[in-house]
Amino acid sequence: MKKRFLFLLGQLCLYLGISVTGGAQDKLQTPAQGAPQGGGKIYGVLTDSTTGKPVEFATVALLQKGSTQAIDGTLTDTNGRFTFSDVSAGEYEVALSFIGYKTKTIRQISITGQDPEKSLGSILFSPTATQLKEVTVQILRPTITQEADRMVVSIEGTALAAGRSAYDVLSTSPGGYIDQEGNIQLNGRAGVTVMLDGKLTYLSGRDLRNLLEGMSAENIKNIEIITNPSSKYDAEGSSGILNINLKKNDISGTNGSVYAGYTYNGKQHAYSAGANINHKAGKWNSFINLDVARRAGGREATFTRVFQTEQGPVYFDQEATGNYEVQGPPFTRVGTDYSLSDKHSIGGMVYYGTNYLEADFLTDTYMGNAPGQPILYIEANNYNNNRFTRKCQRKP
């Protein structure tokens, strides 16, 4: 009787298992009827290519295909995972960046009604390292400290500061993203407020870029990334605040440092150099910083389009090149202060900076009714020259 009961019970379990499995298969095989607007999903895991460990707090930006403007952004979690939800149907790209790693872009990501979710799987992220025989040159990541209301990225004493500008450092900060036009975003959102030593800069986007490009990263102590500002900050920093804290001298006597760097991208030469001199005697502390730089960059693009008209197809082929050079005499910062106590001091600072921007964007467009047989040629050349000058006197 007992064996019969166990046999019947086993048959019942087997029947239920087959029924549940069959229902699940039917559900999986049911074709998607079309994802709702904004119902797509893109996700993946970022992994160090050398150690196999997850990369934490890396910046992940979601862009429309062919665009340089981020429409969404996030950071990887402690397991290296990231997710973009409520993604509308379309073609996308995902840009990944982090301090000490090569920037990587995943292209041709398609979200459709039949395939609303796209898994990018495990993405290998390669550290920036070059091996020359017995010598290894490797960029070191600065220490990242997560506080209650902000993330602090230490710059002082790291390889990140060598030969770079404050603008370069911001572009690789966690959550920070700078598009081709120089607009600063935080976690994919524009409207970022940039502060120096806790004080607002009150500069336009272009002037702020010029100021940061003329400031050496050697003078930066750390960068505070505040994604959810409290009520004590102005409401204009709706998407977050980037506070750049400059270094202060705490060594008695006279000391200083010099630096220089050179880069070549295959077409353009660039360099940076500067010096920092400090003098501290008793409660007086004085300093002078000099920076000179020539920064350059560019881009190339090819566009191929086909327009369907009543008279037949129209082929639109375009080649574009763009280059820029920013060069300036020394950006100078001079200051002194007197320590009243361990927590209070009084002093003043004067700084002056100027640089000259020269940029161009050249396009050649060919149009015709057959591939490679243009009947119309359009040449459009855009040139931009701009001089930025900033001088200020501050009294803490």
Side-chain angles (χ1 to χ4, degrees), residues 346-395:
I346 184 172
M349 182 183 69
V350 177
Y351 63 87
Y352 173 83
T354 180
N355 58 41
Y356 180 74
L357 167 68
E358 183 174 342
D360 61 60
F361 189 73
L362 315 178
T363 60
D364 295 319
T365 305
Y366 304 87
M367 300 179 64
N369 301 114
Q373 300 179 15
I375 59 176
L376 178 64
Y377 168 70
I378 302 174
E379 179 183 9
N381 298 330
N382 300 275
Y383 301 94
N384 180 29
N385 295 310
N386 178 54
R387 178 172 292 279
F388 168 80
T389 300
R390 176 73 172 172
K391 49 187 176 181
C392 181
Q393 179 176 359
R394 290 168 48 189
K395 295 181 179 180

Side-chain angles (χ1 to χ4, degrees), residues 11 51 71 84 98 119 160 228 257 292 313 316 333 336 363 389:
Q11 290 290 336
T51 64
I71 60 176
F84 292 106
F98 193 62
S119 172
L160 181 65
N228 296 304
S257 63
V292 61
F316 180 97
R333 187 166 64 102
T336 185
T363 60
T389 300

Side-chain angles (χ1 to χ4, degrees), residues 74 87 91 107 128 134 161 206 222 249 310 347:
T74 185
V87 181
E91 301 291 329
R107 306 183 187 278
T128 304
E134 296 81 15
R206 170 60 65 180
N222 58 43
N249 180 42
E310 295 180 356

Side-chain angles (χ1 to χ4, degrees), residues 182-253:
N183 300 310
I184 301 176
Q185 301 178 25
L186 191 59
N187 292 336
R189 295 180 294 174
V192 179
T193 297
V194 178
M195 307 176 71
L196 292 177
D197 289 331
K199 299 178 178 62
L200 291 174
T201 56
Y202 296 108
L203 295 175
S204 64
R206 170 60 65 180
D207 290 344
L208 178 61
R209 175 178 178 176
N210 289 330
L211 174 65
L212 296 177
E213 284 182 336
M215 181 185 299
S216 170
E218 297 280 355
N219 299 325
I220 299 177
K221 178 181 179 181
N222 58 43
I223 297 177
E224 296 178 334
I225 303 172
I226 309 172
T227 54
N228 296 304
S230 62
S231 58
K232 71 177 182 179
Y233 295 103
D234 290 346
E236 56 188 287
S238 57
S239 62
I241 295 175
L242 294 175
N243 182 32
I244 303 174
N245 292 313
L246 303 179
K247 292 192 298 185
K248 295 182 179 179
N249 180 42
D250 57 0
I251 303 176
S252 298

Side-chain angles (χ1 to χ4, degrees), residues 41-81:
K41 184 178 180 182
I42 300 174
Y43 55 95
V45 180
L46 198 56
T47 306
D48 190 299
S49 62
T50 57
T51 64
K53 296 181 179 180
V55 180
E56 305 175 10
F57 307 117
T59 301
V60 187
L62 180 65
L63 304 89
Q64 291 279 3
K65 180 181 179 181
S67 173
T68 59
Q69 180 72 29
I71 60 176
D72 198 2
T74 185
L75 297 178
T76 56
D77 60 16
T78 55
N79 295 318
R81 298 191 182 96

